[in-house]
Amino acid sequence: MKTSAPFIPFLLLAVLLFTGCKRTDGIQEYVGPKDTTTPTNFSVQGDSLRPSYSLVNFSVQKQFFIASFSHSVAWKLEIRGKNSGAVRLLSGISQNLDSSNTSFDGKADSLAFFLPTESCTARLKVAGWAKEYTCEFVINQMPSFDAVQIDDFESPNDSTGFCALYKDPTDSLVMFKESESTLFFEGRRAMRMDGYDVNYNYWLSTLSTKNVNLKSILTGKEASSVYLNMFAKGEADGRTALEIQMYEDENSDGVYSSTSDELWTAKTTLTGEWKQVSLHFDDFSKSGTSGNSTLEPEKLLRIALVLVAYPQGGYSSAYVDYASFTFGQPFSQK
Amino acid sequence: MKAPSIHILSLPKTILAGVLLWLVCTTPSFSQLRFHGLGRTVWQSQTLSGNALQGDSTSDRKTMQGYALFDLRTEYRFKDKINLLVDSRVKNIIGGFGGVGASVQLRQVLVEGRATRFVTYSLGDIDVELSPFTFSNPVDTGAQVLGSVFAIRRNVLRYENFTTGNARRTMERQFHYQGNQSSTIHDYWAQVNSWRMRGGKLQFRIPLYMDDQSLKALLFGVTDRATHSFSGDFPYRIGGRLSYSADVNQHGFHFFGNGVRFVTPLTSNGKNENRVMSGGTNFWLSFPKIYLFGNMEAGSSHSQWKTDEPLINPNRDDYFLHSKLALSWKNRISVGAGYSEVGPYFESPGAQTMRLTGNAVPSFFSFVGNNQLVRNQGMLDRIGSETIYNQSLSVFRQVFLPQYELVFPYSVATPNRKGFSLSSTFLDQEYQFDKIMVSAKADFYQEILGTGVTDRRDFTRFHAIGITKLNRFFHTRGAWKLNVGYRFESSERGGDLPVDFKVNSWEAGTTMEIVRMLDLMIGIKRLNAKGNEIYNNINRFNEIESYRPFTMNQTETLIGTGLQLHITGECFLMVSGYFNRVKSSERLSTWNLNQFYTNFTYEF
């Protein structure tokens, strides 16, 4: 054998190297997910977190937060309303907190709303760093939401929105407060209805809209895109149901008649916790035989909320706040 | 401490043992029956103290353990056609009462022989090895010891875990691989860095009818040893090797190709299928005073995770390459240099499974604290605790302890490494040493891709040992050997998430024959690990899920001293004491462990 023989394997090996080897594509800058743990010599400049406004008017301003880190780190900022318990979470990976990454428009991730005149706490947590940084600010005014408001129940004794009440005359202590300030979910007031169903027909009271031009709100809207939204709360033991009625002026004569127009209803049961009620028009069913059996948004005459002592009569109550229409999706603060 | 119970022999083993007994009873004249064996009695008593037990009203402070065992290795050979081997064990733990703690085990059952002139077969508990990147049981570098007082302890564990003989890969023997007789070099890949598996293999020697050339093939199919029944899904590994070698006039080469497929069911739904292929060559050129040896290997892995759950990379492909060139002068001084690159997604369970598992439970003082958390391993555990050894292949990156194995925790096949190595060895005689031997190796490596960030770690590893026979200098009557060693490892990274972790480890051991057949043994190991590093948290599909930064400042000292009485060449009694001090910033890791140990062993 010639001594050049050992070079034959090198040739074969070179062929193997250049033809047989490949590496998984994908994350090629580094292996694994981005490491956002905090280095041991991490520090926060000034050892503080600051809000851009100590009193913020969300109708014209956005809040943001200011901090500067020694390293680029993963952080979480939790903004919590002291009274409402509303929460907004912000997070990111950066070396600074500023308007570009901590902009806060007053809208919550939680079901609960931030409240006007509410004091809030912002709490900053850096991944892998034990110390937390906090600051406080006060909300002056809340922002507007992407919804057509029917009634926010903030104005006592006004004559628009849900303000026309019909009581069951044979029931006892049927109460209605259009704008109750002791319990609310959005703003500082909510609507309250309660009473004793003593005749065991379950119906306690009906609250209808008044001076709300539903036609102008809903004309041109597809029925399939319309949602009726509100926030509601009942009794803790579940003795409350809320029936939502929509009266359709089928013959366009400006009044509702059970013989010629349509009544559409949907029902929801309430508990002691606030919940969002968002009803799509498909959720309503027609009551009675008159009409063309088609829910036409532009023909809506009025909407009514019916307090029902469901399912056993007796005392029942309901709080309702921030009723609105949205289009395309249920109400969301953001 | 768990109480061992009497093991029920499995049906196939029982049948095999019956066949063997029948053959023994009907032994014809042309067959051979041989018996070998080992008996060992170990008794150890240990105490634990220190901060790890502060406020702890639950854990033991003092325990005693021991066992007596007898291994009988029965070998029945019928011409060259068949060789039956049964290694059976009777064991009784000290403190066992009324049969509790007594056990009968079959350590190995093997049938092997020559099927034809060119084909041999093995069936049963077989040893499997291909190359260090495809299928190899890595040396437990973190438990390397130089003093006999430690080595005897570790060798017991190696015997118990079927890795005896792997010491041939240690630095002391490295010289031989770097360059001498071709037969030794041929053995390089056949060294027993093997995994004891269960299955069968066929070896073919394909006739070339040329004395200076040979063509060989190996095929095997195995499952992990004694960890799975055949009733459900079980892991299996199928592989082989084709090798061609030629050796003429002291020059030659060896060309080989390896392939292995691992199929491992997951505890959750799904399975991992892994394929590793490699090819390479060894070559050697021998001149009167100079010997040149080279080794190259390159290959790829394809790992596929089949599961219902979403994965970042359900299929991962990567490759490795390794090359080494060594030059020997007069077979006394050798220098070598190598380059290695193992891709970040290279997955080779047969090569990357650790011999010692970092988070395994030590066999003495297993738990500490009122919450009974696993006690972190110390150096004494790594040479004296059976339970931290691993006998099954793992498709997952196992937990490693950076203070013991920082740069290559998963052997030379550790993924995401590239760099070069320099090595040198000096012997005072040809092939061997008479008075002194010195060997050193330095590795300079870097991550191929950063881990979690674009910045990459730099790794440095330096390891040197010296062995001297002091009796040659001082002309004492009995043998007197002194071994010293030093290990430095570092991991450094800059950028926003810097890493700076360094390990310094020294050790020395001496064995002196103070009177005929009686050795005095003293050994010391000291380690300091300091800095900050980051653990990768691995999910169930071997993907990095998150990171856990940690800082460590650990100082550890292990002192051992003892006497070894050589009753005969195959029988000894050892009485020794060990003092392991660990002072660490890690939780529940500052403790003192003192142990008294006796070992009576005889072989035949």
Side-chain angles (χ1 to χ4, degrees), chain A residues 34-304:
Chain A
K34 184 166 176 59
D35 189 348
T36 53
T37 50
T38 306
T40 50
N41 57 348
F42 171 78
S43 63
V44 177
Q45 201 173 67
D47 213 30
S48 68
L49 170 73
R50 290 185 293 120
S52 57
Y53 302 103
S54 56
L55 181 66
V56 59
N57 181 350
F58 284 122
S59 63
V60 293
Q61 294 170 320
K62 284 186 178 178
Q63 178 73 287
F64 64 91
F65 300 88
I66 302 159
S68 184
F69 310 136
S70 59
H71 299 77
S72 180
V73 290
W75 50 265
K76 284 183 182 174
L77 188 69
E78 181 194 85
I79 305 159
R80 183 178 289 274
K82 286 187 174 179
N83 298 331
S84 64
V87 173
R88 177 70 180 271
L89 290 173
L90 301 169
S91 63
I93 301 171
S94 65
Q95 196 165 352
N96 295 296
L97 300 191
D98 52 32
S99 59
S100 68
N101 52 20
T102 59
S103 179
F104 172 48
D105 54 7
K107 297 172 182 176
D109 294 320
S110 57
L111 187 65
F113 288 75
F114 287 99
L115 304 173
T117 71
E118 181 179 32
S119 179
C120 299
T121 301
R123 185 179 301 274
L124 173 68
K125 198 166 170 48
V126 176
W129 192 248
K131 187 173 180 180
E132 293 182 350
Y133 300 86
T134 59
C135 65
E136 294 191 356
F137 65 93
V138 175
I139 297 172
N140 182 10
Q141 283 190 41
M142 286 293 290
S144 57
F145 299 99
D146 187 16
V148 178
Q149 181 182 305
I150 304 170
D151 198 338
D152 62 359
F153 305 103
E154 295 298 310
S155 306
N157 306 316
D158 68 349
S159 56
T160 57
F162 287 97
C163 53
L165 183 74
Y166 306 91
K167 299 178 183 179
D168 184 341
T170 58
D171 285 338
S172 171
L173 296 172
V174 177
M175 302 288 289
F176 163 65
K177 280 199 172 180
E178 183 188 354
S179 190
E180 169 68 82
S181 62
T182 56
L183 193 64
F184 47 85
F185 194 66
E186 182 274 340
R188 285 290 179 180
R189 291 170 178 271
M191 183 273 283
R192 173 189 162 201
M193 304 162 76
D194 64 351
Y196 288 89
D197 174 39
V198 295
N199 61 7
Y200 288 95
N201 69 349
Y202 306 135
W203 174 57
L204 281 163
S205 57
T206 299
L207 179 66
S208 290
T209 53
K210 188 177 171 185
N211 297 327
V212 178
N213 191 345
L214 296 173
K215 189 173 289 186
S216 67
I217 295 171
L218 299 173
T219 297
K221 304 293 183 187
E222 290 288 331
S224 60
S225 72
V226 181
Y227 288 83
L228 173 64
N229 310 278
M230 63 194 72
F231 296 88
K233 171 186 174 300
E235 286 297 305
D237 57 3
R239 284 179 293 155
T240 304
L242 195 65
E243 184 175 289
I244 296 97
Q245 299 177 335
M246 292 202 292
Y247 293 85
E248 187 180 327
D249 183 11
E250 186 66 30
N251 54 14
S252 302
D253 61 356
V255 294
Y256 172 79
S257 165
S258 60
T259 56
S260 57
D261 297 322
E262 291 180 344
L263 172 62
W264 296 82
T265 63
K267 188 183 281 186
T268 182
T269 55
L270 303 180
T271 66
E273 299 292 326
W274 283 98
K275 76 171 187 178
Q276 180 172 341
V277 180
S278 289
L279 297 167
H280 188 256
F281 273 16
D282 287 345
D283 296 328
F284 288 86
S285 54
K286 185 169 169 287
S287 178
T289 56
S290 58
N292 62 0
S293 299
T294 303
L295 207 169
E296 295 156 283
E298 67 277 8
K299 290 184 178 177
L300 279 189
L301 195 62
R302 64 176 184 269
I303 301 170

Side-chain angles (χ1 to χ4, degrees), chain B residues 95-326:
Chain B
F97 179 75
V100 175
S103 62
V104 179
Q105 302 165 14
L106 282 179
R107 276 171 53 84
Q108 186 178 21
V109 177
L110 176 66
V111 183
E112 58 185 358
R114 185 173 297 281
T116 71
R117 186 180 165 193
F118 302 111
V119 181
T120 59
Y121 64 90
S122 303
L123 190 65
D125 298 307
I126 60 175
D127 295 322
V128 180
E129 183 194 7
L130 291 176
S131 77
F133 296 90
T134 51
F135 212 113
S136 176
N137 191 337
V139 172
D140 43 346
T141 55
Q144 181 167 329
V145 288
L146 295 171
S148 303
V149 71
F150 304 132
I152 293 171
R153 296 290 305 274
R154 187 200 53 193
N155 291 342
V156 171
L157 301 192
R158 286 185 170 179
Y159 175 82
E160 292 299 313
N161 290 278
F162 311 104
T163 54
T164 47
N166 289 342
R168 294 185 72 178
R169 290 291 298 275
T170 60
M171 293 186 79
E172 191 174 352
R173 305 297 291 269
Q174 201 172 28
F175 181 83
H176 297 285
Y177 307 138
Q178 287 180 356
N180 281 305
Q181 298 158 345
S182 55
S183 60
T184 308
I185 294 162
H186 283 164
D187 287 345
Y188 179 72
W189 297 119
Q191 296 304 312
V192 278
N193 273 74
S194 54
W195 287 100
R196 175 65 58 85
M197 312 292 282
R198 179 158 295 159
K201 64 181 176 184
L202 289 172
Q203 289 174 287
F204 304 88
R205 187 173 64 84
I206 300 157
L208 296 176
Y209 302 106
M210 287 178 279
D211 291 341
D212 55 359
Q213 296 179 42
S214 67
L215 182 60
K216 293 178 182 175
L218 164 73
L219 290 174
F220 66 84
V222 293
T223 185
D224 290 3
R225 182 184 172 275
T227 53
H228 299 271
S229 71
F230 284 84
S231 56
D233 284 344
F234 61 91
Y236 63 90
R237 297 77 170 80
I238 299 171
R241 179 178 63 221
L242 185 66
S243 64
Y244 168 70
S245 61
D247 188 355
V248 178
N249 299 328
Q250 304 293 308
H251 307 314
F253 68 89
H254 174 213
F255 182 64
F256 58 86
N258 299 309
V260 61
R261 176 180 167 84
F262 305 86
V263 178
T264 309
L266 306 176
T267 50
S268 55
N269 288 334
K271 63 181 176 179
N272 171 259
E273 292 182 2
N274 192 295
R275 185 193 66 224
V276 184
M277 307 283 285
S278 81
T281 182
N282 305 321
F283 71 91
W284 53 96
L285 301 170
S286 183
F287 304 102
K289 290 185 179 178
I290 294 176
Y291 186 87
L292 185 68
F293 170 71
N295 161 246
M296 294 181 74
E297 186 180 1
S300 65
S301 74
H302 172 73
S303 186
Q304 189 173 14
W305 298 82
K306 293 182 176 177
T307 172
D308 297 336
E309 298 180 41
L311 302 173
I312 298 170
N313 286 312
N315 301 314
R316 295 194 279 268
D317 293 276
D318 216 324
Y319 60 88
F320 77 91
L321 60 93
H322 168 81
S323 62
K324 181 179 177 181
L325 197 63

